[in-house]
Amino acid sequence: MYAQMVKSEATSDDPELLAAFQARIDAGEKIEPKDWMPEGYRKTLIRQIGQHAHSEIVGQLPEGNWITRAPTLERKAILLAKVQDEAGHGLYLYCAAETLGISRDEMTEMLLDGRMKYSSIFAYPTLTWADMGAVGWLVDGAAIMNQVPLQRTSFGPYSRAMIRVCKEESFHQRQGFDVMMKMCAGTDAQKRMAQDALNRLWFPSLMMFGPSDKDSVHSSQSMAWKIKMNTNDELRQKFVDQTVPQAEYLGLTIPDETLKWNDKKKGYDFAEPDWEEFFDVLKGNGPCSTDRIATRQKAWDDGAWVREAMNAHADKKAAAKVAAELSTRLIPTGSWPR
């Protein structure tokens, strides 16, 4: 999900520094913000963490749309808590990225002007309440598959942020599966609604892991730096193998006629997503792409006065601190005339 747009860059840094840096990575050490790092490593992390943060924030939109329309008060409260969690995840990740020398304001501006992306899955609509179940079950399930290995990623702030994120995403996945269980145990119409949600979100969920390994030309460097811990295809296979038995338990059918168990590899063979559609969505041509960015742009514009007020307050506090320090130096304590 969060490796979809990651690109590593070649670097001309000192070979000895590069070798020492790689030795630390290979030894399993965490790289901290004040440590020396190749410029390509820093830029790759900014892209990956930035996209991850944007995905958490944009990911609130298709779910927030259903808070007031959830079928019961309990479901409203659960969904509200989930959306609140996603906002928190975005903030953790913006903070982690800021340790690399970029501000969240810069990252937001890059999202709005197209220089940064968010996960392709959030460019699709959520049409029915069953979609809230499918999003939790499939989308958050795929997110967990991506994120659990990132607890071992080489950059310390990112690795530590993922510990709490993964715990909360596990709750989100269970919430979604619970919705699907209730729908599948309900009326025929409710079960058809659950099947329809699965049909529409299955292949977009597979796209979350990024392009096929043969088309992911920058993965090798990210793997060497332990920014990525698994290849896209490895995670996609693991997700399918985990999800198919869950669909069978629900009594739902995966919308893939080629799906079958392969005893030799101890996993399922399955159809690839439509990669042309995937890359078209990343270009901003998804069903809801325009609406998602327009909503973020409106929030950015509407919040300008808050950012300005907070900056002015921070500047005032900083000026007061400087004035106090100057006063102490110019007139030492106890030197006032009696």
PDB file of all heavy atoms in Angstrom, residues 46-79:
ATOM      1  N   ILE A  46      11.167   9.929   2.933  1.00  0.00           N
ATOM      2  CA  ILE A  46      10.193  11.022   2.870  1.00  0.00           C
ATOM      3  C   ILE A  46       9.042  10.639   1.952  1.00  0.00           C
ATOM      4  O   ILE A  46       7.870  10.866   2.284  1.00  0.00           O
ATOM      5  CB  ILE A  46      10.876  12.329   2.413  1.00  0.00           C
ATOM      6  CG1 ILE A  46      11.751  12.889   3.540  1.00  0.00           C
ATOM      7  CG2 ILE A  46       9.826  13.373   1.996  1.00  0.00           C
ATOM      8  CD1 ILE A  46      12.592  14.089   3.132  1.00  0.00           C
ATOM      9  N   ARG A  47       9.361  10.053   0.814  1.00  0.00           N
ATOM     10  CA  ARG A  47       8.295   9.639  -0.104  1.00  0.00           C
ATOM     11  C   ARG A  47       7.397   8.577   0.525  1.00  0.00           C
ATOM     12  O   ARG A  47       6.185   8.658   0.462  1.00  0.00           O
ATOM     13  CB  ARG A  47       8.896   9.107  -1.406  1.00  0.00           C
ATOM     14  CG  ARG A  47       9.514  10.166  -2.291  1.00  0.00           C
ATOM     15  CD  ARG A  47       9.847   9.572  -3.657  1.00  0.00           C
ATOM     16  NE  ARG A  47      10.509  10.554  -4.479  1.00  0.00           N
ATOM     17  CZ  ARG A  47      11.828  10.691  -4.585  1.00  0.00           C
ATOM     18  NH1 ARG A  47      12.609   9.889  -3.890  1.00  0.00           N
ATOM     19  NH2 ARG A  47      12.355  11.613  -5.354  1.00  0.00           N
ATOM     20  N   GLN A  48       8.034   7.555   1.114  1.00  0.00           N
ATOM     21  CA  GLN A  48       7.255   6.442   1.650  1.00  0.00           C
ATOM     22  C   GLN A  48       6.429   6.873   2.860  1.00  0.00           C
ATOM     23  O   GLN A  48       5.225   6.581   2.935  1.00  0.00           O
ATOM     24  CB  GLN A  48       8.168   5.277   2.025  1.00  0.00           C
ATOM     25  CG  GLN A  48       7.393   4.086   2.602  1.00  0.00           C
ATOM     26  CD  GLN A  48       8.187   2.813   2.587  1.00  0.00           C
ATOM     27  OE1 GLN A  48       9.008   2.574   1.688  1.00  0.00           O
ATOM     28  NE2 GLN A  48       7.965   1.956   3.575  1.00  0.00           N
ATOM     29  N   ILE A  49       7.062   7.545   3.805  1.00  0.00           N
ATOM     30  CA  ILE A  49       6.331   7.951   5.010  1.00  0.00           C
ATOM     31  C   ILE A  49       5.301   9.010   4.662  1.00  0.00           C
ATOM     32  O   ILE A  49       4.189   9.015   5.196  1.00  0.00           O
ATOM     33  CB  ILE A  49       7.301   8.466   6.091  1.00  0.00           C
ATOM     34  CG1 ILE A  49       8.300   7.374   6.481  1.00  0.00           C
ATOM     35  CG2 ILE A  49       6.534   8.922   7.328  1.00  0.00           C
ATOM     36  CD1 ILE A  49       9.415   7.849   7.410  1.00  0.00           C
ATOM     37  N   GLY A  50       5.652   9.924   3.748  1.00  0.00           N
ATOM     38  CA  GLY A  50       4.701  10.950   3.329  1.00  0.00           C
ATOM     39  C   GLY A  50       3.471  10.347   2.689  1.00  0.00           C
ATOM     40  O   GLY A  50       2.340  10.720   3.009  1.00  0.00           O
ATOM     41  N   GLN A  51       3.665   9.389   1.783  1.00  0.00           N
ATOM     42  CA  GLN A  51       2.517   8.745   1.157  1.00  0.00           C
ATOM     43  C   GLN A  51       1.691   7.977   2.183  1.00  0.00           C
ATOM     44  O   GLN A  51       0.458   7.980   2.135  1.00  0.00           O
ATOM     45  CB  GLN A  51       2.950   7.792   0.049  1.00  0.00           C
ATOM     46  CG  GLN A  51       1.742   7.134  -0.639  1.00  0.00           C
ATOM     47  CD  GLN A  51       2.125   6.145  -1.704  1.00  0.00           C
ATOM     48  OE1 GLN A  51       3.004   6.411  -2.508  1.00  0.00           O
ATOM     49  NE2 GLN A  51       1.464   5.005  -1.717  1.00  0.00           N
ATOM     50  N   HIS A  52       2.379   7.334   3.115  1.00  0.00           N
ATOM     51  CA  HIS A  52       1.689   6.599   4.175  1.00  0.00           C
ATOM     52  C   HIS A  52       0.829   7.552   5.003  1.00  0.00           C
ATOM     53  O   HIS A  52      -0.355   7.288   5.267  1.00  0.00           O
ATOM     54  CB  HIS A  52       2.737   5.899   5.039  1.00  0.00           C
ATOM     55  CG  HIS A  52       2.185   4.887   5.980  1.00  0.00           C
ATOM     56  ND1 HIS A  52       2.959   3.949   6.600  1.00  0.00           N
ATOM     57  CD2 HIS A  52       0.922   4.663   6.430  1.00  0.00           C
ATOM     58  CE1 HIS A  52       2.213   3.189   7.389  1.00  0.00           C
ATOM     59  NE2 HIS A  52       0.963   3.613   7.313  1.00  0.00           N
ATOM     60  N   ALA A  53       1.401   8.684   5.391  1.00  0.00           N
ATOM     61  CA  ALA A  53       0.649   9.673   6.180  1.00  0.00           C
ATOM     62  C   ALA A  53      -0.548  10.209   5.396  1.00  0.00           C
ATOM     63  O   ALA A  53      -1.663  10.298   5.924  1.00  0.00           O
ATOM     64  CB  ALA A  53       1.569  10.824   6.586  1.00  0.00           C
ATOM     65  N   HIS A  54      -0.338  10.562   4.143  1.00  0.00           N
ATOM     66  CA  HIS A  54      -1.435  11.074   3.313  1.00  0.00           C
ATOM     67  C   HIS A  54      -2.547  10.032   3.183  1.00  0.00           C
ATOM     68  O   HIS A  54      -3.733  10.367   3.184  1.00  0.00           O
ATOM     69  CB  HIS A  54      -0.931  11.444   1.917  1.00  0.00           C
ATOM     70  CG  HIS A  54       0.035  12.589   1.896  1.00  0.00           C
ATOM     71  ND1 HIS A  54      -0.062  13.664   2.757  1.00  0.00           N
ATOM     72  CD2 HIS A  54       1.117  12.839   1.104  1.00  0.00           C
ATOM     73  CE1 HIS A  54       0.918  14.526   2.494  1.00  0.00           C
ATOM     74  NE2 HIS A  54       1.644  14.044   1.516  1.00  0.00           N
ATOM     75  N   SER A  55      -2.156   8.763   3.069  1.00  0.00           N
ATOM     76  CA  SER A  55      -3.151   7.700   2.919  1.00  0.00           C
ATOM     77  C   SER A  55      -4.012   7.570   4.162  1.00  0.00           C
ATOM     78  O   SER A  55      -5.215   7.301   4.076  1.00  0.00           O
ATOM     79  CB  SER A  55      -2.446   6.367   2.616  1.00  0.00           C
ATOM     80  OG  SER A  55      -1.721   6.444   1.404  1.00  0.00           O
ATOM     81  N   GLU A  56      -3.399   7.743   5.330  1.00  0.00           N
ATOM     82  CA  GLU A  56      -4.177   7.686   6.571  1.00  0.00           C
ATOM     83  C   GLU A  56      -5.181   8.844   6.627  1.00  0.00           C
ATOM     84  O   GLU A  56      -6.333   8.660   7.035  1.00  0.00           O
ATOM     85  CB  GLU A  56      -3.244   7.747   7.785  1.00  0.00           C
ATOM     86  CG  GLU A  56      -2.261   6.600   7.904  1.00  0.00           C
ATOM     87  CD  GLU A  56      -2.899   5.299   8.374  1.00  0.00           C
ATOM     88  OE1 GLU A  56      -4.111   5.288   8.653  1.00  0.00           O
ATOM     89  OE2 GLU A  56      -2.169   4.295   8.466  1.00  0.00           O
ATOM     90  N   ILE A  57      -4.751  10.029   6.223  1.00  0.00           N
ATOM     91  CA  ILE A  57      -5.620  11.201   6.293  1.00  0.00           C
ATOM     92  C   ILE A  57      -6.717  11.131   5.233  1.00  0.00           C
ATOM     93  O   ILE A  57      -7.907  11.321   5.522  1.00  0.00           O
ATOM     94  CB  ILE A  57      -4.791  12.492   6.133  1.00  0.00           C
ATOM     95  CG1 ILE A  57      -3.773  12.630   7.284  1.00  0.00           C
ATOM     96  CG2 ILE A  57      -5.702  13.712   6.065  1.00  0.00           C
ATOM     97  CD1 ILE A  57      -4.364  12.688   8.667  1.00  0.00           C
ATOM     98  N   VAL A  58      -6.346  10.843   3.988  1.00  0.00           N
ATOM     99  CA  VAL A  58      -7.346  10.736   2.921  1.00  0.00           C
ATOM    100  C   VAL A  58      -8.262   9.539   3.176  1.00  0.00           C
ATOM    101  O   VAL A  58      -9.451   9.564   2.840  1.00  0.00           O
ATOM    102  CB  VAL A  58      -6.664  10.622   1.543  1.00  0.00           C
ATOM    103  CG1 VAL A  58      -7.687  10.394   0.434  1.00  0.00           C
ATOM    104  CG2 VAL A  58      -5.861  11.890   1.242  1.00  0.00           C
ATOM    105  N   GLY A  59      -7.718   8.504   3.808  1.00  0.00           N
ATOM    106  CA  GLY A  59      -8.511   7.314   4.095  1.00  0.00           C
ATOM    107  C   GLY A  59      -9.667   7.557   5.054  1.00  0.00           C
ATOM    108  O   GLY A  59     -10.587   6.734   5.153  1.00  0.00           O
ATOM    109  N   GLN A  60      -9.643   8.678   5.756  1.00  0.00           N
ATOM    110  CA  GLN A  60     -10.785   9.026   6.621  1.00  0.00           C
ATOM    111  C   GLN A  60     -12.020   9.400   5.801  1.00  0.00           C
ATOM    112  O   GLN A  60     -13.162   9.264   6.282  1.00  0.00           O
ATOM    113  CB  GLN A  60     -10.447  10.237   7.496  1.00  0.00           C
ATOM    114  CG  GLN A  60      -9.301  10.055   8.459  1.00  0.00           C
ATOM    115  CD  GLN A  60      -8.977  11.354   9.153  1.00  0.00           C
ATOM    116  OE1 GLN A  60      -9.451  11.603  10.253  1.00  0.00           O
ATOM    117  NE2 GLN A  60      -8.202  12.199   8.505  1.00  0.00           N
ATOM    118  N   LEU A  61     -11.818   9.886   4.578  1.00  0.00           N
ATOM    119  CA  LEU A  61     -12.919  10.479   3.815  1.00  0.00           C
ATOM    120  C   LEU A  61     -13.997   9.469   3.414  1.00  0.00           C
ATOM    121  O   LEU A  61     -15.185   9.729   3.639  1.00  0.00           O
ATOM    122  CB  LEU A  61     -12.367  11.217   2.591  1.00  0.00           C
ATOM    123  CG  LEU A  61     -11.361  12.329   2.914  1.00  0.00           C
ATOM    124  CD1 LEU A  61     -10.853  12.983   1.628  1.00  0.00           C
ATOM    125  CD2 LEU A  61     -11.977  13.376   3.835  1.00  0.00           C
ATOM    126  N   PRO A  62     -13.649   8.327   2.814  1.00  0.00           N
ATOM    127  CA  PRO A  62     -14.712   7.379   2.455  1.00  0.00           C
ATOM    128  C   PRO A  62     -15.416   6.779   3.658  1.00  0.00           C
ATOM    129  O   PRO A  62     -16.564   6.322   3.543  1.00  0.00           O
ATOM    130  CB  PRO A  62     -13.977   6.312   1.638  1.00  0.00           C
ATOM    131  CG  PRO A  62     -12.543   6.456   1.995  1.00  0.00           C
ATOM    132  CD  PRO A  62     -12.334   7.892   2.333  1.00  0.00           C
ATOM    133  N   GLU A  63     -14.762   6.778   4.823  1.00  0.00           N
ATOM    134  CA  GLU A  63     -15.387   6.237   6.032  1.00  0.00           C
ATOM    135  C   GLU A  63     -16.173   7.308   6.777  1.00  0.00           C
ATOM    136  O   GLU A  63     -17.277   7.042   7.276  1.00  0.00           O
ATOM    137  CB  GLU A  63     -14.317   5.634   6.946  1.00  0.00           C
ATOM    138  CG  GLU A  63     -13.626   4.435   6.331  1.00  0.00           C
ATOM    139  CD  GLU A  63     -12.486   3.924   7.183  1.00  0.00           C
ATOM    140  OE1 GLU A  63     -11.689   4.737   7.686  1.00  0.00           O
ATOM    141  OE2 GLU A  63     -12.395   2.696   7.339  1.00  0.00           O
ATOM    142  N   GLY A  64     -15.611   8.504   6.864  1.00  0.00           N
ATOM    143  CA  GLY A  64     -16.310   9.587   7.541  1.00  0.00           C
ATOM    144  C   GLY A  64     -17.664   9.868   6.923  1.00  0.00           C
ATOM    145  O   GLY A  64     -18.609  10.292   7.606  1.00  0.00           O
ATOM    146  N   ASN A  65     -17.787   9.594   5.637  1.00  0.00           N
ATOM    147  CA  ASN A  65     -19.038   9.772   4.916  1.00  0.00           C
ATOM    148  C   ASN A  65     -20.159   8.902   5.465  1.00  0.00           C
ATOM    149  O   ASN A  65     -21.338   9.181   5.239  1.00  0.00           O
ATOM    150  CB  ASN A  65     -18.789   9.445   3.433  1.00  0.00           C
ATOM    151  CG  ASN A  65     -19.977   9.750   2.563  1.00  0.00           C
ATOM    152  OD1 ASN A  65     -20.606  10.774   2.708  1.00  0.00           O
ATOM    153  ND2 ASN A  65     -20.285   8.846   1.650  1.00  0.00           N
ATOM    154  N   TRP A  66     -19.793   7.821   6.207  1.00  0.00           N
ATOM    155  CA  TRP A  66     -20.810   6.878   6.692  1.00  0.00           C
ATOM    156  C   TRP A  66     -21.078   6.987   8.191  1.00  0.00           C
ATOM    157  O   TRP A  66     -21.925   6.259   8.718  1.00  0.00           O
ATOM    158  CB  TRP A  66     -20.381   5.442   6.343  1.00  0.00           C
ATOM    159  CG  TRP A  66     -20.743   5.108   4.927  1.00  0.00           C
ATOM    160  CD1 TRP A  66     -19.944   5.215   3.813  1.00  0.00           C
ATOM    161  CD2 TRP A  66     -22.014   4.663   4.457  1.00  0.00           C
ATOM    162  NE1 TRP A  66     -20.638   4.862   2.685  1.00  0.00           N
ATOM    163  CE2 TRP A  66     -21.913   4.515   3.046  1.00  0.00           C
ATOM    164  CE3 TRP A  66     -23.226   4.366   5.074  1.00  0.00           C
ATOM    165  CZ2 TRP A  66     -22.979   4.091   2.262  1.00  0.00           C
ATOM    166  CZ3 TRP A  66     -24.287   3.943   4.289  1.00  0.00           C
ATOM    167  CH2 TRP A  66     -24.159   3.812   2.907  1.00  0.00           C
ATOM    168  N   ILE A  67     -20.403   7.868   8.894  1.00  0.00           N
ATOM    169  CA  ILE A  67     -20.595   7.941  10.346  1.00  0.00           C
ATOM    170  C   ILE A  67     -22.049   8.241  10.699  1.00  0.00           C
ATOM    171  O   ILE A  67     -22.657   7.571  11.542  1.00  0.00           O
ATOM    172  CB  ILE A  67     -19.656   8.995  10.971  1.00  0.00           C
ATOM    173  CG1 ILE A  67     -18.197   8.522  10.882  1.00  0.00           C
ATOM    174  CG2 ILE A  67     -20.036   9.252  12.440  1.00  0.00           C
ATOM    175  CD1 ILE A  67     -17.181   9.555  11.316  1.00  0.00           C
ATOM    176  N   THR A  68     -22.644   9.234  10.064  1.00  0.00           N
ATOM    177  CA  THR A  68     -24.029   9.606  10.395  1.00  0.00           C
ATOM    178  C   THR A  68     -25.039   8.615   9.835  1.00  0.00           C
ATOM    179  O   THR A  68     -26.206   8.632  10.243  1.00  0.00           O
ATOM    180  CB  THR A  68     -24.352  11.008   9.867  1.00  0.00           C
ATOM    181  OG1 THR A  68     -24.183  11.035   8.439  1.00  0.00           O
ATOM    182  CG2 THR A  68     -23.451  12.050  10.508  1.00  0.00           C
ATOM    183  N   ARG A  69     -24.618   7.757   8.915  1.00  0.00           N
ATOM    184  CA  ARG A  69     -25.554   6.817   8.274  1.00  0.00           C
ATOM    185  C   ARG A  69     -25.356   5.380   8.736  1.00  0.00           C
ATOM    186  O   ARG A  69     -26.007   4.470   8.217  1.00  0.00           O
ATOM    187  CB  ARG A  69     -25.399   6.899   6.750  1.00  0.00           C
ATOM    188  CG  ARG A  69     -25.793   8.260   6.194  1.00  0.00           C
ATOM    189  CD  ARG A  69     -25.727   8.257   4.671  1.00  0.00           C
ATOM    190  NE  ARG A  69     -24.362   8.248   4.186  1.00  0.00           N
ATOM    191  CZ  ARG A  69     -24.020   7.905   2.940  1.00  0.00           C
ATOM    192  NH1 ARG A  69     -24.962   7.520   2.089  1.00  0.00           N
ATOM    193  NH2 ARG A  69     -22.758   7.946   2.563  1.00  0.00           N
ATOM    194  N   ALA A  70     -24.463   5.170   9.696  1.00  0.00           N
ATOM    195  CA  ALA A  70     -24.274   3.821  10.232  1.00  0.00           C
ATOM    196  C   ALA A  70     -25.591   3.336  10.835  1.00  0.00           C
ATOM    197  O   ALA A  70     -26.371   4.128  11.377  1.00  0.00           O
ATOM    198  CB  ALA A  70     -23.171   3.830  11.278  1.00  0.00           C
ATOM    199  N   PRO A  71     -25.875   2.027  10.765  1.00  0.00           N
ATOM    200  CA  PRO A  71     -27.218   1.531  11.108  1.00  0.00           C
ATOM    201  C   PRO A  71     -27.600   1.604  12.581  1.00  0.00           C
ATOM    202  O   PRO A  71     -28.783   1.589  12.907  1.00  0.00           O
ATOM    203  CB  PRO A  71     -27.191   0.079  10.618  1.00  0.00           C
ATOM    204  CG  PRO A  71     -25.747  -0.283  10.554  1.00  0.00           C
ATOM    205  CD  PRO A  71     -25.029   0.968  10.194  1.00  0.00           C
ATOM    206  N   THR A  72     -26.641   1.648  13.499  1.00  0.00           N
ATOM    207  CA  THR A  72     -26.966   1.716  14.923  1.00  0.00           C
ATOM    208  C   THR A  72     -26.047   2.724  15.604  1.00  0.00           C
ATOM    209  O   THR A  72     -25.008   3.102  15.064  1.00  0.00           O
ATOM    210  CB  THR A  72     -26.784   0.344  15.614  1.00  0.00           C
ATOM    211  OG1 THR A  72     -25.379   0.017  15.628  1.00  0.00           O
ATOM    212  CG2 THR A  72     -27.559  -0.759  14.901  1.00  0.00           C
ATOM    213  N   LEU A  73     -26.422   3.123  16.819  1.00  0.00           N
ATOM    214  CA  LEU A  73     -25.581   4.039  17.582  1.00  0.00           C
ATOM    215  C   LEU A  73     -24.226   3.404  17.878  1.00  0.00           C
ATOM    216  O   LEU A  73     -23.181   4.075  17.822  1.00  0.00           O
ATOM    217  CB  LEU A  73     -26.282   4.416  18.895  1.00  0.00           C
ATOM    218  CG  LEU A  73     -25.521   5.392  19.809  1.00  0.00           C
ATOM    219  CD1 LEU A  73     -25.256   6.706  19.086  1.00  0.00           C
ATOM    220  CD2 LEU A  73     -26.317   5.638  21.093  1.00  0.00           C
ATOM    221  N   GLU A  74     -24.228   2.109  18.184  1.00  0.00           N
ATOM    222  CA  GLU A  74     -22.968   1.416  18.445  1.00  0.00           C
ATOM    223  C   GLU A  74     -22.054   1.463  17.227  1.00  0.00           C
ATOM    224  O   GLU A  74     -20.848   1.733  17.344  1.00  0.00           O
ATOM    225  CB  GLU A  74     -23.235  -0.041  18.837  1.00  0.00           C
ATOM    226  CG  GLU A  74     -21.960  -0.818  19.124  1.00  0.00           C
ATOM    227  CD  GLU A  74     -22.217  -2.287  19.415  1.00  0.00           C
ATOM    228  OE1 GLU A  74     -23.203  -2.843  18.879  1.00  0.00           O
ATOM    229  OE2 GLU A  74     -21.421  -2.880  20.171  1.00  0.00           O
ATOM    230  N   ARG A  75     -22.614   1.204  16.044  1.00  0.00           N
ATOM    231  CA  ARG A  75     -21.814   1.236  14.814  1.00  0.00           C
ATOM    232  C   ARG A  75     -21.289   2.650  14.538  1.00  0.00           C
ATOM    233  O   ARG A  75     -20.174   2.824  14.048  1.00  0.00           O
ATOM    234  CB  ARG A  75     -22.644   0.753  13.628  1.00  0.00           C
ATOM    235  CG  ARG A  75     -22.964  -0.738  13.646  1.00  0.00           C
ATOM    236  CD  ARG A  75     -21.716  -1.580  13.508  1.00  0.00           C
ATOM    237  NE  ARG A  75     -22.038  -2.999  13.456  1.00  0.00           N
ATOM    238  CZ  ARG A  75     -21.145  -3.977  13.560  1.00  0.00           C
ATOM    239  NH1 ARG A  75     -19.866  -3.675  13.749  1.00  0.00           N
ATOM    240  NH2 ARG A  75     -21.508  -5.227  13.487  1.00  0.00           N
ATOM    241  N   LYS A  76     -22.099   3.649  14.842  1.00  0.00           N
ATOM    242  CA  LYS A  76     -21.630   5.036  14.673  1.00  0.00           C
ATOM    243  C   LYS A  76     -20.433   5.306  15.565  1.00  0.00           C
ATOM    244  O   LYS A  76     -19.433   5.892  15.133  1.00  0.00           O
ATOM    245  CB  LYS A  76     -22.761   6.016  15.007  1.00  0.00           C
ATOM    246  CG  LYS A  76     -23.870   6.130  13.968  1.00  0.00           C
ATOM    247  CD  LYS A  76     -24.939   7.114  14.444  1.00  0.00           C
ATOM    248  CE  LYS A  76     -25.960   7.397  13.355  1.00  0.00           C
ATOM    249  NZ  LYS A  76     -26.749   6.217  12.974  1.00  0.00           N
ATOM    250  N   ALA A  77     -20.520   4.884  16.833  1.00  0.00           N
ATOM    251  CA  ALA A  77     -19.430   5.125  17.787  1.00  0.00           C
ATOM    252  C   ALA A  77     -18.157   4.388  17.374  1.00  0.00           C
ATOM    253  O   ALA A  77     -17.043   4.934  17.455  1.00  0.00           O
ATOM    254  CB  ALA A  77     -19.859   4.694  19.186  1.00  0.00           C
ATOM    255  N   ILE A  78     -18.309   3.144  16.903  1.00  0.00           N
ATOM    256  CA  ILE A  78     -17.151   2.361  16.477  1.00  0.00           C
ATOM    257  C   ILE A  78     -16.482   3.006  15.268  1.00  0.00           C
ATOM    258  O   ILE A  78     -15.249   3.149  15.213  1.00  0.00           O
ATOM    259  CB  ILE A  78     -17.564   0.909  16.150  1.00  0.00           C
ATOM    260  CG1 ILE A  78     -17.991   0.180  17.435  1.00  0.00           C
ATOM    261  CG2 ILE A  78     -16.436   0.158  15.460  1.00  0.00           C
ATOM    262  CD1 ILE A  78     -18.625  -1.179  17.195  1.00  0.00           C
ATOM    263  N   LEU A  79     -17.294   3.413  14.291  1.00  0.00           N
ATOM    264  CA  LEU A  79     -16.735   4.014  13.082  1.00  0.00           C
ATOM    265  C   LEU A  79     -16.090   5.364  13.394  1.00  0.00           C
ATOM    266  O   LEU A  79     -15.032   5.697  12.851  1.00  0.00           O
ATOM    267  CB  LEU A  79     -17.829   4.174  12.022  1.00  0.00           C
ATOM    268  CG  LEU A  79     -17.362   4.635  10.640  1.00  0.00           C
ATOM    269  CD1 LEU A  79     -16.304   3.693  10.068  1.00  0.00           C
ATOM    270  CD2 LEU A  79     -18.548   4.739   9.677  1.00  0.00           C
TER     271      LEU A  79
END
